[in-house]
Amino acid sequence: MTDRIIAITGVPGSGKTTVLKNAISKAPNVSVVNFAEVMLSVGAELGLGSDHDAIRTQPLDVQRDLQKKAAEKIAKDSKGVTIVDTHATIKTSAGYLPGLPQWILSALNPSTIVIVESSPKDINFRRKMDKSRSRDDEGEAGIELHQSLNRAITLAYSASSGATVKIITNEQNKLEEASKELLDLFGGNK
């Protein structure tokens, strides 16, 4: 198995992590790293908080430093096929923060960047049902904008890094189809 990193992205509520978990259950030799969890670990070590919302509200220079440290750790620890569960952009109080800026792309060197998308209506519903997180209410128009920005910035990431881009649509009640597309991508369906 060739060493390679695949970044998987999607706006919160797109079902990215659910699609990933379903696909990985059929490919035990593929490892998964959650970028945000690595950032949380680094942030906790630095005394910046230990939950997603504490990190998300840090000043941008702090978030950028955490991103860089997380990417370097992931790249150093990766063996075989590694899927990095991350975001193309992160909505912050100062605007949208690139999830894979050049210093991250250089450290990770992904072969492919996957975008998992769902309808804004489905994403909005999922977010409202998820009581485990404190999220800003973007509404369907905001979600649509966020997904459009993710497509645009991912193409820029691709142009900069040479990674291919794969868009997987996670339609309601079609988890198996979306998971199979991902599984086929990393060769786990042989």
Side-chain angles (χ1 to χ4, degrees):
M1 184 182 303
T2 305
D3 288 350
R4 64 188 170 121
I5 291 177
I6 298 171
I8 185 167
T9 70
V11 300
S14 64
K16 162 186 57 95
T17 303
T18 303
V19 169
L20 177 57
K21 285 180 181 177
N22 190 285
I24 291 302
S25 71
K26 300 167 179 85
N29 294 330
V30 174
S31 61
V32 176
V33 177
N34 183 293
F35 197 92
E37 294 302 320
V38 177
M39 280 183 64
L40 282 177
S41 172
V42 172
E45 289 172 12
L46 297 173
L48 300 171
S50 59
D51 64 63
H52 294 284
D53 297 316
I55 297 300
R56 181 176 64 89
T57 57
Q58 291 293 325
L60 291 180
D61 61 329
V62 172
Q63 290 186 52
R64 288 181 184 118
D65 187 52
L66 289 174
Q67 285 179 319
K68 183 176 181 184
K69 288 178 177 164
E72 289 168 349
K73 178 172 178 31
I74 291 166
K76 179 179 161 269
D77 296 344
S78 293
K79 303 283 184 275
V81 176
T82 301
I83 310 295
V84 179
D85 182 350
T86 190
H87 295 281
T89 60
I90 301 101
K91 187 173 187 222
T92 72
S93 58
Y96 292 92
L97 177 68
L100 296 168
Q102 188 57 47
W103 58 89
I104 304 284
L105 287 174
S106 294
L108 290 179
N109 191 28
S111 61
T112 304
I113 303 170
V114 177
I115 306 172
V116 176
E117 296 182 341
S118 290
S119 76
K121 180 179 180 182
D122 288 344
I123 292 170
N124 199 38
F125 176 76
R126 291 174 192 153
R127 287 180 180 181
K128 288 181 180 190
M129 298 306 293
D130 182 4
K131 303 300 181 197
S132 68
R133 296 283 306 278
S134 171
R135 301 186 198 264
D136 298 332
D137 185 6
E138 290 181 271
E140 290 179 31
I143 292 167
E144 186 173 350
L145 171 63
H146 197 166
Q147 288 193 130
S148 294
L149 291 171
N150 280 353
R151 279 186 178 213
I153 202 165
T154 299
L155 290 173
Y157 296 153
S158 173
S160 173
S161 68
T164 58
V165 176
K166 173 75 174 168
I167 298 172
I168 297 175
T169 303
N170 180 28
E171 296 180 49
Q172 198 68 18
N173 301 315
K174 294 193 177 181
L175 174 62
E176 290 302 321
E177 290 89 336
S179 298
K180 182 181 180 317
E181 274 192 74
L182 181 59
L183 192 61
D184 289 347
L185 182 65
F186 54 76
N189 207 16
K190 294 183 178 180

